[in-house]
Amino acid sequence: MTIRLYLVRHGETPMNAARQLQGITDAALTAKGRAAADRLGELLRPVPFAKVFTSDRGRTIETAHRIIAGHRPQPPLIQLSALREYYFGGLEGDSGNA
């Protein structure tokens, strides 16, 4: 049996667009991020997913929901805090220009 693993990063957030360091900060998707997730969903529609795993951050959940929106049957979406991005402490939001 062959198992295929698809790794996808969440769509763009305002912090990504501003080139700010973002780890655990839960920023929403931008319009560009939502559109990219929708487009990837169209491209991956023929792929039968057994399960979808995501962190518990809103941006990752929304990205995953948008990607699997057209899938029938809808695969279960499993949220795991262990998949969160790294916490950068006081560097969260830093643009590196200081």
Side-chain angles (χ1 to χ4, degrees):
M1 175 173 70
T2 301
I3 295 176
R4 295 209 164 130
L5 178 66
Y6 292 80
L7 299 175
V8 175
R9 188 170 189 271
H10 61 77
E12 181 188 73
T13 69
M15 290 179 76
N16 299 146
R19 302 186 59 81
Q20 294 175 311
L21 188 59
Q22 179 181 357
I24 201 168
T25 302
D26 200 12
L29 297 179
T30 62
K32 181 179 176 181
R34 291 188 298 273
D38 291 343
R39 176 68 179 130
L40 186 55
E42 292 170 15
L43 294 171
L44 293 176
R45 190 165 292 137
V47 176
F49 292 115
K51 295 179 184 175
V52 175
F53 294 89
T54 183
S55 80
D56 59 354
R57 303 286 88 179
R59 65 184 180 267
T60 64
I61 296 165
E62 182 178 359
T63 299
H65 275 296
R66 287 177 170 276
I67 290 170
I68 64 171
H71 280 77
R72 300 293 178 263
Q74 191 96 118
L77 186 101
I78 301 161
Q79 300 172 29
L80 301 171
S81 62
L83 293 177
R84 286 181 186 170
E85 291 185 54
Y86 186 77
Y87 175 55
F88 294 107
L91 294 176
E92 289 273 327
D94 189 0
S95 62
N97 295 327

